Amino acid sequence: MRTHNKRAGLLKGTAALALMGVLAAAVALPALAADKVTKDVAPVTAQALSEHIRILASDEFQGRKPGTAGEDKAIAYIQDQFKKIGLKPAVDGSYLQNVPLTEIVSKADGPMVITGPKAAPLSLEYFSDMIVWTRQRTPHVQVKDNDMVFVGYGITAPEFGWDDYAGVDVRGKTVVILVNDPGYATGDPALFGGGAMTWYGRWVYKFEEAARHGATAAIIVHETRAAGYPWGVVANGGSIPKLSLMPADGGLKTRSAVEGWMQLDQAKAVFQAAGLDFNTLKDSAARRGFKAVPLPLKMSVGITPTERDVISHNVIGTIPGAKHPDEMVLVGAHWDHLGIGPAINGDTIYHGAMDNASGVAGLIELAKRYTKGPKPDRTLLFIAYTAEEQGLLGSEYYAQHPLFAPNKTVAGFNMDMLSSVGLTRDIVLVGGRKSDLEDRLKAWTDAHMMALNQEPFPERGYYYRSDHFNLAKIGIPVIYAHSGIDSVANGAEWGKTKEDEFTRLHYHQPSDKWSPDLDLSGGAMEVNMIYDLSRPLAFGTDWPKWYDKAEFKAARDKSMGK
Ligand SMILES: [Zn+2]
């Protein structure tokens, strides 16, 4: 409630707004009186968050990369905090869940060569024209004169009545795939998520689906807008050491031998060599009834990987429920960042203050706020995930090896990059139209006289780019929302400038550092918002539900035995 009072205080100059504030408070009163939690618990403060961030993002923690000395420091700090607060260790008396990872560095032996009957061989240079890697445990990958098939968006989605792999056998072949999904390509609201990216638009999904169909190589055509990032990001991401969760078969049967991307211009040349027009085929791929097109081409490429095993850790603590201890309300934030990397402005430590020391600070302070109040009816589960920056691996491992039954996990909340620019009048929901947690959030923003906005770039698929997504995949309703740009003190234009500035100058760069000037009041508000949203679940008996059209509803129904 203090957050609300503070906001009202800041808005005091405007009589109309102040009056609305009084009305909102009056409306909220009966709900409060009926609340069995009568003792007010002091909310999370900006100062408390700042202190954790200062420590976690300091030079000593070396950017908190999994499997390094920085990890040892980070997980020791989080365990120490969990212990001080009085959280119960979740793993046989320990806070640590071991997460076995394999680090693979891939390098192409030479260019990717594509030959056909009608044109001269095409030679695609590593890094500048294409990027390839392997996630198989193998000393060497050699693909020679492999048949190629264009599989459109590479999607098999029964709930949308869509199957790009229908009627074509891609086993042992190279599939060429478009990025994003037909809804994005056409803007047709009846197709997939319309303009908003669905899980089927993400590249991770496309590699998984190609492997399920037995493809030897899966190559995605890069387009900047549809992918959400430029070629440089894709090429860099593909060439740096990759940590992954290694399946029991070493990925030999469960993953394609080759995964990668090719530049748009190269893809156009490849289709031309097959006597086909890329744009024409791309258009047809977005239409219902599209059939995969075998290309009269052969692809060859070699990859030499080097591998190393790493044991990393999720840090997990609970506040056991008094009445329904087997029912869980989950809150998560990733503790890892990028470690030490190329120097930018003379600094090689990627501190990750906002990304995501801030989320861990929020996790610790939220847990602390709960421990100061009465014991919840249900169990509260606090997870600091590892290896988010490596592809959401800690949360994926938890989803594969949950400590508590997913169908008893009531709901989940995620904190990834709290706000550092002060209080705002708006909250942004990442990934709308998913579950009724959104209705609860809307009620909260209404009560606080704030606007609830949809994310400005739904085509970028941010919902699929943080840890809550792995919980959604196993059916747990999860929500991720954060402060918007409409600054209470400085307005929306200023807020937008600040946000762009952070993305350009600090995001995933060494300069994402702690400073006493970070205004964490908005961050504290976000943490207290999660407290307000999770509390009725922790002290209640209801179960949030996916909307009927949400792509994760089927997983929930299945886990509930429906
Ligand atoms: Zn990040």
Side-chain angles (χ1 to χ4, degrees):
M1 291 309 288
R2 190 173 293 167
T3 306
H4 179 61
N5 292 342
K6 197 168 169 189
R7 277 183 46 77
L10 282 165
L11 295 170
K12 207 161 49 187
T14 316
L17 279 175
L19 178 62
M20 280 164 67
V22 170
L23 289 175
V27 169
L29 272 177
L32 271 180
D35 195 329
K36 64 179 122 174
V37 185
T38 47
K39 191 170 147 235
D40 194 22
V41 181
V44 171
T45 65
Q47 293 84 333
L49 295 178
S50 181
E51 182 58 11
H52 294 302
I53 298 170
R54 183 181 69 75
I55 295 165
L56 286 163
S58 63
D59 284 359
E60 209 191 318
F61 284 68
Q62 296 176 30
R64 305 186 306 279
K65 189 170 183 197
T68 69
E71 159 158 2
D72 298 343
K73 290 236 158 65
I75 64 173
Y77 182 81
I78 299 164
Q79 290 181 88
D80 189 45
Q81 293 294 321
F82 278 10
K83 198 171 170 187
K84 268 189 196 145
I85 297 166
L87 295 192
K88 189 180 166 210
V91 195
D92 301 328
S94 162
Y95 291 113
L96 299 181
Q97 179 181 40
N98 286 354
V99 180
L101 301 174
T102 304
E103 185 184 76
I104 305 183
V105 189
S106 294
K107 201 164 169 4
D109 299 338
M112 176 188 286
V113 177
I114 295 173
T115 57
K118 289 182 188 154
L122 292 168
S123 180
L124 278 60
E125 292 302 323
Y126 181 67
F127 205 84
S128 57
D129 298 335
M130 61 86 183
I131 190 82
V132 286
W133 62 85
T134 189
R135 291 190 303 135
Q136 291 186 338
R137 194 187 282 283
T138 177
H140 189 238
V141 169
Q142 186 64 58
V143 175
K144 187 105 183 82
D145 291 332
N146 205 234
D147 287 337
M148 298 180 78
V149 183
F150 173 61
V151 292
Y153 287 90
I155 295 170
T156 300
E159 74 274 34
F160 291 112
W162 195 281
D163 189 1
D164 289 324
Y165 287 92
V168 63
D169 184 1
V170 301
R171 271 175 300 174
K173 297 176 185 169
T174 294
V175 292
V176 180
I177 311 170
L178 299 170
V179 72
N180 219 309
D181 66 35
Y184 169 81
T186 57
D188 180 349
L191 284 180
F192 293 82
M197 187 188 275
T198 61
W199 165 230
Y200 299 110
R202 294 282 294 144
W203 53 272
V204 182
Y205 162 77
K206 292 172 191 293
F207 292 137
E208 284 179 7
E209 196 62 70
R212 274 194 285 274
H213 289 277
T216 290
I219 308 294
I220 300 175
V221 177
H222 177 261
E223 293 184 76
T224 299
R225 222 180 100 73
Y229 23 65
W231 175 255
V233 172
V234 170
N236 265 322
S239 57
I240 57 174
K242 272 192 159 34
L243 283 163
S244 76
L245 296 169
M246 190 54 76
D249 72 338
L252 295 175
K253 291 205 182 73
T254 45
R255 290 172 175 173
S256 298
V258 178
E259 297 176 347
W261 297 76
M262 67 169 75
Q263 285 252 44
L264 178 59
D265 287 344
Q266 302 301 327
K268 287 178 176 169
V270 168
F271 279 70
Q272 203 170 22
L276 297 164
D277 178 56
F278 174 78
N279 286 324
T280 308
L281 277 178
K282 186 184 157 189
D283 286 348
S284 72
R287 272 182 239 122
R288 213 163 257 297
F290 165 79
K291 292 250 175 310
V293 181
L295 305 172
L297 302 170
K298 307 274 187 193
M299 190 278 276
S300 302
V301 74
I303 300 171
T304 306
T306 48
E307 302 180 356
R308 178 173 80 97
D309 288 324
V310 171
I311 300 285
S312 190
H313 305 87
N314 290 329
V315 189
I316 312 178
T318 68
I319 301 174
K323 284 192 189 152
H324 311 288
D326 58 329
E327 295 177 3
M328 325 295 291
V329 177
L330 185 157
V331 188
H334 75 87
W335 60 255
D336 67 299
H337 194 59
L338 300 168
I340 292 171
I344 299 179
N345 294 328
D347 196 353
T348 56
I349 299 173
Y350 288 61
H351 298 85
M354 299 320 297
D355 184 10
N356 186 31
S358 68
V360 174
L363 190 73
I364 293 166
E365 289 302 310
L366 179 70
K368 196 187 281 177
R369 186 171 174 188
Y370 266 112
T371 55
K372 284 180 186 157
K375 230 175 169 350
D377 294 348
R378 286 166 160 165
T379 296
L380 282 153
L381 175 58
F382 299 93
I383 309 185
Y385 301 108
T386 181
E388 189 268 357
E389 304 287 6
Q390 310 290 329
L392 320 182
L393 303 180
S395 54
E396 184 181 348
Y397 188 82
Y398 181 84
Q400 288 172 2
H401 306 87
L403 297 172
F404 306 96
N407 64 5
K408 290 279 184 182
T409 305
V410 175
F413 299 86
N414 186 47
M415 285 180 277
D416 195 354
M417 299 218 286
L418 298 182
S419 164
S420 59
V421 293
L423 294 170
T424 59
R425 293 188 185 86
D426 57 337
I427 293 289
V428 172
L429 171 65
V430 179
R433 298 193 294 171
K434 301 243 183 272
S435 80
D436 64 29
L437 288 169
E438 293 164 31
D439 304 329
R440 297 156 201 253
L441 176 61
K442 181 74 173 75
W444 187 90
T445 52
D446 284 351
H448 289 74
M449 295 203 315
M450 296 176 80
L452 178 60
N453 294 323
Q454 298 293 322
E455 56 186 321
F457 304 106
E459 71 276 16
R460 291 184 189 169
Y462 283 120
Y463 190 81
Y464 313 102
R465 292 208 217 167
S466 191
D467 296 302
H468 55 281
F469 165 59
N470 280 317
L471 303 173
K473 271 173 109 178
I474 57 167
I476 300 168
V478 282
I479 192 165
Y480 175 36
H482 55 73
S483 296
I485 54 163
D486 190 3
S487 161
V488 168
N490 302 297
E493 204 172 308
W494 179 89
K496 177 87 182 78
T497 307
K498 278 283 167 189
E499 187 180 80
D500 293 347
E501 202 177 276
F502 181 85
T503 307
R504 209 176 62 244
L505 300 177
H506 308 303
Y507 177 68
H508 282 196
Q509 296 182 38
S511 61
D512 176 10
K513 286 173 90 156
W514 177 84
S515 133
D517 301 331
L518 294 172
D519 182 350
L520 294 161
S521 55
M525 186 270 297
E526 291 172 305
V527 181
N528 290 315
M529 171 182 81
I530 292 181
Y531 177 82
D532 291 344
L533 293 174
S534 57
R535 196 178 63 158
L537 296 170
F539 287 88
T541 54
D542 69 333
W543 294 78
K545 286 180 182 56
W546 294 107
Y547 294 145
D548 279 344
K549 281 191 102 178
E551 63 260 57
F552 310 109
K553 185 175 182 294
R556 186 61 154 183
D557 288 349
K558 198 176 157 204
S559 85
M560 292 292 197
K562 278 187 200 163

